[in-house]
Amino acid sequence: MNRAVFLDRDGVINYDDHYVYKIEDIRFIEGIFELLIYLQNKGYLLIIITNQAGIGRGYYTEQEFKTLTNWMLGKFKQQGIHLQKVYYCPYHPNCGIGQYKRDSFYRKPNPGMILLAKREWDIDLSKSLLIGDKETDIEAGINAGIPLNILFRPGVMDGHTKADLVINDLNQIIASGILEYQK
Ligand SMILES: [Mg+2]
């Protein structure tokens, strides 16, 4: 079986600049390339799980999302980083338009995207981890049975979190040595 790191996209890979979908609006977060190389070298599969209700809300299309995704995967490839797959959920229970207005087992904090990836990539979730910037990411990881859920919160930490580790700089994952304990 494989182990994997599940990464939220907006707020972890790139800055969450409110429903970004244009290539020119993407700003990568400092340390993300180094982190992904580190995780890849440690043998983790790299998987993005992202709620994309902007599609359901009609802010951008699935095709525009996929165009951006392909560009992003190419940027990673240039750095020698291989992303296994990008899972996304376009639905929103209240604000979705037409077919997109519905609740979904794949929408975080539900664990659907993680459980689907587990099946598709033969992943041992007990040896995997998740990195997110919202509590709903952390809850998705917990709901899926992931034992290490890391909250990346660059600003002031507000409120309670169920995360196992809170960081304000992606480099802290490497510096903390926390992954040395995952066998
Ligand atoms: Mg996010």
Side-chain angles (χ1 to χ4, degrees):
M1 292 181 93
N2 299 303
R3 54 186 187 175
V5 54
F6 293 93
L7 301 138
D8 176 42
R9 197 195 77 180
D10 299 316
V12 174
I13 305 276
N14 54 274
Y15 284 94
D16 190 353
D17 292 330
H18 198 71
Y19 297 108
V20 287
Y21 69 96
K22 292 181 188 156
I23 289 167
E24 58 265 35
D25 292 337
I26 288 289
R27 298 184 298 132
F28 287 103
I29 290 178
E30 290 78 21
I32 187 61
F33 293 107
E34 294 82 351
L35 176 61
L36 294 181
I37 289 167
Y38 171 82
L39 291 165
Q40 181 171 272
N41 287 343
K42 280 191 131 0
Y44 290 93
L45 303 184
L46 309 177
I47 292 171
I48 292 179
I49 50 166
T50 176
N51 284 354
Q52 289 292 327
I55 296 169
R57 289 168 178 261
Y59 296 164
Y60 46 92
T61 65
E62 292 207 46
Q63 192 49 54
E64 285 172 314
F65 170 78
K66 285 176 183 171
T67 299
L68 175 62
T69 298
N70 287 336
W71 174 83
M72 194 176 269
L73 294 179
K75 281 281 166 195
F76 288 134
K77 206 168 180 183
Q78 285 172 9
Q79 307 282 329
I81 299 163
H82 178 62
L83 256 288
Q84 246 67 32
K85 187 161 174 176
V86 178
Y87 293 87
Y88 67 99
C89 179
Y91 305 107
H92 193 282
N94 314 118
C95 303
I97 297 167
Q99 56 158 327
Y100 293 111
K101 183 176 178 174
R102 68 172 180 86
D103 207 353
S104 172
F105 187 57
Y106 295 99
R107 180 173 165 79
K108 296 178 282 185
N110 295 326
M113 288 192 281
I114 298 171
L115 298 179
L116 178 59
K118 169 188 155 63
R119 286 201 302 276
E120 289 190 346
W121 300 96
D122 190 29
I123 294 166
D124 182 351
L125 293 179
S126 74
K127 292 193 167 85
S128 299
L129 71 146
L130 175 145
I131 306 168
D133 74 317
K134 288 192 177 146
E135 196 60 17
T136 46
D137 299 316
I138 302 303
E139 287 169 358
I142 292 170
N143 290 336
I146 291 176
L148 177 57
N149 296 287
I150 299 172
L151 183 66
F152 171 53
R153 214 20 105 64
V156 178
M157 180 63 199
D158 52 335
H160 176 77
T161 178
K162 300 187 190 108
D164 302 290
L165 176 69
V166 181
I167 56 172
N168 55 29
D169 181 334
L170 288 180
N171 293 315
Q172 286 172 304
I173 294 175
I174 302 173
S176 71
I178 192 166
L179 296 185
E180 305 303 326
Y181 297 100
Q182 277 215 334
K183 292 291 179 244

